[in-house]
Amino acid sequence: MRAGTRSGLLVGLEILVPILILAVWWVWSASADSFYFPPLAEILRSFQETWLFARFPTDVLPSLGRMFLGYAIAVVIAVVSGVALGLSVVARQAASPLVEFFRAIPPTALLPFAILVFGVGFEMKVFIIAFVCVWPVLLNTIDGVRAIDPVLRETVRVYRLSNVDQLRRIVLPAIAPQVFAGMRTSLSLAVILMVVSEMVASTNGIGYFVLQAQRSFDIAEMWSGILLLGIFGYLLNAVFIWIERRSLTWYRAIRSSST
Amino acid sequence: MTVVVETRSPSTSSLGPGARGRVAPTIAIVATLVLWQLAVTVGLIDAQYFPDMVSTVTQLAGLVVSSSFWLALADTLMGAALGMAWAVALGIPLGVLFGSTEWLYRAFRVPIEFLRPMPSVALIPVAVLVFGTGLEGKVFLAAFAAFWPLFVQTVYGMHDTDSVVVETARSYRVRTFDRLWRIKLPGALPFIMTGARISAAVALILAVTAELLFSQSGLGYEINLARSSGAISLMYALIIAAGFLGLLLNAVMVFIEQRVLSWHPSTRELLP
Amino acid sequence: SSGSGAPSGDAGGDASGELTTIRVGILPYANVAPLYVGMQEGIFEEHGFEIEPKTFNNGAEEVTALVADEIDVAFVGYFTAAVPISKGLPLQIISNNDQEAAEADAAWAAVTLVSADSDIQSVEDLPGKTLAVNALRSQAEVQNTMSFEAQGIDPASVNLLEVPMPEMGAALANGSVDAINIAEPFASAEIAKGARQIDAPLVSITEEGENFPNGGWAVTQDFLARSDAEALAEALAEATDFTQENPEAARAVIPEFTALTAEQVDSVRLPYWSSTVSRALVQQAIDMADQVGLLEDEVTVDDLLAEPARKFSDQ
Amino acid sequence: MLVVDKLGKTYGTGATQYEAIDEISFEVRRGEFVCIVGPSGCGKTTLLKAMAGLHSPTRGVTRLNDRAVTGPPAEMAVVFQEYGRSLMPWLTVKDNVLLPLRSRKMSSAERKQRVAESLNSVGLGAAGEKYPWQLSGGMQQRVAIARALAYKPDILLMDEPFASVDAQTRGDLEDLILKVRDEFGVTIVLVTHDIDESVYLSDRIVVLTNAPTRVNEVIDVDLGKPRDQVETKELPAFAHLRAHVYRLIRHREAEQ
Amino acid sequence: MLVVDKLGKTYGTGATQYEAIDEISFEVRRGEFVCIVGPSGCGKTTLLKAMAGLHSPTRGVTRLNDRAVTGPPAEMAVVFQEYGRSLMPWLTVKDNVLLPLRSRKMSSAERKQRVAESLNSVGLGAAGEKYPWQLSGGMQQRVAIARALAYKPDILLMDEPFASVDAQTRGDLEDLILKVRDEFGVTIVLVTHDIDESVYLSDRIVVLTNAPTRVNEVIDVDLGKPRDQVETKELPAFAHLRAHVYRLIRHREAEQ
Ligand SMILES: Nc1ncnc2c1ncn2[C@@H]1O[C@H](COP(=O)(O)OP(=O)(O)OP(=O)(O)O)[C@@H](O)[C@H]1O
Ligand SMILES: Nc1ncnc2c1ncn2[C@@H]1O[C@H](COP(=O)(O)OP(=O)(O)OP(=O)(O)O)[C@@H](O)[C@H]1O
Ligand SMILES: [Mg+2]
Ligand SMILES: [Mg+2]
């Protein structure tokens, strides 16, 4: 019962605080009279007109599709190569300068190359999203593999587990907590890069809409797009946390307080 | 043959460990450069729009002797370093706070997850309006973007403390400060250091991006000039320079990591 | 160096011999050569100004910086200026800067190119094809729409796709687009690589011999209230006209603020610089923008052109 | 002083629900040494953690000086069965022992002194600068004991604290703990599997049954004080008690 | 069969260098049961890991059937002293035991059978669906033992495998291991702190000195087979051996 009231309080907080923030924003923006910070009421009106649900199929769905594809590709590539690099000193030494080099390249600076190789369409955008999302997961995977408990490593060696078993049943579960941390960061990057990639050669998409609005000084529209991005960010994360909780029960049991 | 344990050549290797550590990356870098040159020479990539390796490296060599290049580099580095410093100064303490106080985290989860996917491009008007087009605007964008990976990783790291350690701290009534500073934080350090390395690159990327869009100096500014003038090999030479900055920043991060994580399995296995 | 040192104030202008610092937002294109020529020739100094240029990547950032008082003056296209003005931002243009050429083969602001081996011979072949433009919902979209209408083509039949200008060549080369609407210095470079010019939209929509206005120098209403606003407008106008008369001076300064080499500068088409602008053509630009739906409230020539600029406009 | 009152613990809910402790009641007097013995998995650790206020029991309550225990009470130290995991790998042995003292009011010299003393007393005077992962299992366990001793608690709960040390060291540590109890009047509750040890150390022994666990018997150990590794163990009463405890534990139901 | 030849181990370099094992030589014959005893921290775990090919020694070599051991040999199983950390927290008890069998050629029914049998033999038949962190310390230790038994190794190395189980279970497990040895001819090397246990189980006992460690004495244990918890321990030879081993361990230098 005590646990019940506690979680009830937490849910209440989680709802109350955003409402408070919105209220403050409402009051402040109503009196601010700034061109770039229009009243919240205006933003909400524009939000309702734009997204509920006029542009939903035309702008939202294509954006999300590209985002998920890029994200998925990034995660797969990052985990596969991260495991390889985490396991082999030589591979890690060899790849390290290249990895550190490429992940410091701004995605916007990569656009020319991406356009040349992938054209201006779908593939280019997916590439840009994947290119950026790959690094947080990759680094976390490598570091996660390197942090595997030495006693577990020894157990694995002693019992001569097959490579498949080592990967599937030891390495992947062991690194999962840290990989999830990386995926969480990358998820937000995917949303950001969805917008950046739509700076080029787009005819639809949330990012495209925000940038067009910004360029044509439709500031309330721009904020409505940003609002939508934020809402997506929140929802995606909520789904993510839900999945994570389900897959890491064991981890929560041995980490931090169990009471 | 085992996967999980690093395959290390025994100490009887004819090359010293240091030399061996340099051979593999050298081979990898040379191979990449050769592949690049081949891809352009063979025509896999259109040479009119993508420079070959030799001409880009020549460009870069030309840049290296010009002082304005180094000034630009220093400007970018300054923006990235300050942005990173802010990200560290805010991201880790807030991550510790939110990672250790559940009601706080729950209370601000919505605004946090709302802000996290804010694209920097959409924030540029805000950055320009509030912080201007100088160093401050650049630092703001770099700090804003670099904050999140550090913050998220710190929050995750705070949950990575062993439950027995937590119970130990509780039973000895270790005071809050020590519990955070000497128990939770060190326990979270492996995650935090990974986050710091991600953030360092993000700070650099955003510093360059800010320069691309509104700054008056720095690598991004030079890249923008080169791009808008169609000077392709110059542009790629500058992009490579940005990559080198990333290598430099990472070297710093690895240096720090090896010190603060000397107790961690991932680092201590490197010890003899 | 970043972070402007001395913010310019109203004080210290005319009376004493001290120079007022003016922070000017520019785009790194040949268009803004008059600013540098004027600095070189001491024209701004004569009028009591010291110029501090700041480079931006696009007009929208410049407008934001203007509003944030990060810069005093910005070089903006007429379309870029008309849109925020129609939405209530207090901007005006105090001096005209450049215009499109009168002839298609000298056009520099916008030419439509196709690759050498393309089936497309003229604008008539464009329907059903994809045309890359620098930015949608802006000048590029407006000028092409109008050009198509003027040449009897349904604008809706051509797919416009946004591609940054530096990447248009690559996009044309790898076949992701069929034609590109491109400006200098890229246009010359692409033509040198064999691309064929099939249109120059701003030439197609004007009468024989007319120069369509391209861009001018914008300030905020606050700046206009300053006593030295007019002097700045005069200085800009003088520099603009001097540059048009001395193209070699222009070619000499361009490498300073772009990454173009001296040889490249020699081969690019230069803008047509003029401090005067036709009110009728400015009105046409506004109408075109309105027609494409870019404007919110109605904008007149007088909303767009500030007092000093109007003085220089031919009636 | 410390009263365990009808304490019960059920882990989990629904299908995976497991009743570890049915109902346990006993009390520990001030300055008393009580050993808890019982079959593996019967709930000794669970019981100890509930007494330490680390777990909340499903039923019943622990009372310390008539106040219900809801969190770890001040002046109580715990030596965990998972000693290895209870040491911070990022702190040296010295700092591990020092950590709980930081929140206590005393001069830093005094702290250092206490750390050095307690490390010496467990035979690890030379290992202070090492890290826990550079120590053997038995050494780690002794660090955990040293940490508890340096804390100078009023109540000391220990969960199989000597499981990983050799016979000689075990004897030494047993005597050390007895000495600490006599000197400072510490109340000690110790879980052990070694029946000799339980008889040797205790004033009373609480013998538990298999899960769902109850108290099988509480045995008074009247072997007098002080105890001596050789002499005490040669007493006929010792042999008798030992056999008695052993028989109690043997009487276990088939498989749990 | 298994020969430890002048094996030595020095941890670290420079100032923090620590010589754990000076030089150890002994051999284990096929089907033999050898116990290793020695003071806490003397290098028993280090020695065992070197024999398993998990560490490379600083000096000397281990040979298995005349071939130097450089990695864990096939058909060898190890029960680690840190049993808790050697179990995968994401796998159920059953899957933990099953894991090493996956790479062995046998039908899946046979695998299941083996898992069930070995879990039953350590008294955990009912805990198969639980996760390691839902078990008590002693139960975890028994899972680690079950995993080694299910693997049916030719050589079994165990590092204090019964440290966390109660006296009754300990006796049962001791007899279980002896039975396994007799049935399958497994060669067993076991590290223990319990002197009774070492005498009861062994054919020979290797007694180690303090660090830097050498072999103090190798004792032949002629107590015949089979052994019995009651009868064997009543033999005069048992008491004699036990006292002998105890004396050897007592003869330790001051503080290490
Ligand atoms: N987190 C948990 N979830 C579910 N069951 C648990 C949990 N912790 C312990 N148990 C169960 O409770 C019972 C008692 O566990 P406990 O650790 O208290 O035993 P113990 O007496 O300390 O045993 P040992 O002597 O082996 O350490 C065991 O059967 C165990 O499986
Ligand atoms: N990774 C390491 N780095 C440095 N020293 C180490 C390391 N591992 C072990 N040692 C040292 O080597 C010595 C022997 O350790 P080992 O674990 O082999 O002892 P042990 O005989 O198994 O002791 P116990 O009975 O307590 O388990 C100890 O003094 C220990 O401090
Ligand atoms: Mg226990
Ligand atoms: Mg050991």
Side-chain angles (χ1 to χ4, degrees), chain D residues 11 18 20 40-46 81 160 193, chain E residues 134 136-138:
Chain D
Y11 282 107
Y18 179 77
S40 171
C42 76
K44 300 178 294 295
T45 301
T46 306
Q81 184 175 16
E160 303 185 27
H193 283 315
Chain E
Q134 294 179 318
S136 76

Side-chain angles (χ1 to χ4, degrees), chain E residues 114-249:
Chain E
R114 270 213 208 172
V115 171
E117 269 174 16
S118 64
L119 279 175
N120 272 331
S121 70
V122 297
L124 289 176
E129 297 305 333
K130 293 198 179 185
Y131 287 89
W133 37 271
Q134 294 179 318
L135 301 184
S136 76
M139 291 161 88
Q140 289 175 22
Q141 193 162 36
R142 283 182 277 155
V143 176
I145 297 171
R147 179 170 61 185
L149 293 181
Y151 192 69
K152 297 210 172 151
D154 289 347
I155 310 168
L156 178 56
L157 306 185
M158 304 176 99
D159 200 350
E160 303 184 28
F162 313 131
S164 303
V165 295
D166 62 287
Q168 165 75 27
T169 312
R170 187 172 198 135
D172 294 348
L173 290 174
E174 284 169 5
D175 291 337
L176 173 68
I177 298 289
L178 283 175
K179 201 185 85 189
V180 165
R181 196 266 309 257
D182 292 339
E183 263 178 38
F184 302 103
V186 187
T187 309
I188 299 176
V189 178
L190 186 144
V191 171
T192 181
H193 282 315
D194 188 320
I195 294 170
D196 285 24
E197 179 171 282
S198 70
V199 176
Y200 178 68
L201 292 174
S202 309
D203 297 320
R204 281 189 304 148
I205 303 175
V206 177
V207 185
L208 301 180
T209 67
N210 257 320
T213 310
R214 300 183 142 264
V215 176
N216 192 338
E217 195 177 319
V218 179
I219 304 167
D220 284 303
V221 181
D222 302 311
L223 292 174
K225 290 181 199 174
R227 312 245 165 126
D228 179 274
Q229 290 284 1
V230 182
E231 279 168 31
T232 306
K233 289 184 180 171
E234 278 171 359
L235 294 174
F238 184 91
H240 177 75
L241 280 166
R242 180 174 175 236
H244 182 58
V245 174
Y246 194 71
R247 241 172 289 124
L248 282 176
I249 291 189

Side-chain angles (χ1 to χ4, degrees), chain B residues 58-266:
Chain B
T58 316
Q59 267 290 356
L60 192 61
L63 283 177
V64 166
V65 296
S66 79
S67 63
S68 63
F69 168 75
W70 290 104
L71 287 178
L73 211 66
D75 263 325
T76 304
L77 200 56
M78 176 75 119
L82 287 177
M84 181 64 188
W86 275 105
V88 169
L90 294 175
I92 297 179
L94 286 178
V96 168
L97 198 64
F98 281 77
S100 57
T101 325
E102 209 204 336
W103 64 267
L104 207 62
Y105 176 66
R106 288 291 289 271
F108 287 94
R109 186 156 83 183
V110 176
I112 284 172
E113 298 305 350
F114 182 88
L115 280 176
R116 231 149 56 76
M118 283 300 114
S120 44
V121 276
L123 281 176
I124 281 173
V126 180
V128 170
L129 278 177
V130 181
F131 297 96
T133 57
L135 185 63
E136 280 165 37
K138 179 156 68 168
V139 170
F140 167 75
L141 284 182
F144 181 84
F147 171 84
W148 295 114
L150 253 176
F151 176 79
V152 170
Q153 296 268 144
T154 308
V155 169
Y156 268 77
M158 294 304 282
H159 295 298
D160 192 53
T161 334
D162 192 298
S163 57
V164 180
V165 164
V166 173
E167 285 186 343
T168 306
R170 283 220 302 146
S171 68
Y172 285 104
R173 302 173 71 86
V174 173
R175 58 185 165 156
T176 318
F177 173 80
D178 282 340
R179 208 173 57 232
L180 292 181
W181 177 245
R182 292 179 204 277
I183 295 177
K184 287 288 213 158
L185 192 64
L189 265 183
F191 278 67
I192 295 178
M193 285 315 298
T194 309
R197 286 169 49 216
I198 296 169
S199 284
V202 169
L204 179 64
I205 287 174
L206 264 290
V208 173
T209 307
E211 290 162 355
L212 272 172
L213 291 171
F214 62 68
S215 250
Q216 305 318 307
S217 55
L219 277 182
Y221 171 77
E222 306 285 342
I223 291 174
N224 186 24
L225 277 193
R227 179 161 175 251
S228 56
S229 303
I232 295 167
S233 60
L234 176 61
M235 179 178 87
Y236 281 99
L238 288 163
I239 291 177
I240 288 178
F244 276 129
L245 268 191
L247 283 179
L248 183 73
L249 275 184
N250 186 64
V252 175
M253 301 314 298
V254 168
F255 179 84
I256 296 173
E257 181 172 288
Q258 274 173 358
R259 258 133 212 91
V260 299
L261 285 185
S262 57
W263 53 271
H264 193 253
S266 66

Side-chain angles (χ1 to χ4, degrees), chain D residues 135-139 164, chain E residues 40-46 81-82 159-160 191 193:
Chain D
L135 301 184
S136 77
M139 293 162 87
S164 301
Chain E
S40 172
C42 76
K44 301 178 293 296
T45 301
T46 306
Q81 186 174 13
E82 294 148 303
D159 200 350
E160 303 184 28
V191 171
H193 282 315

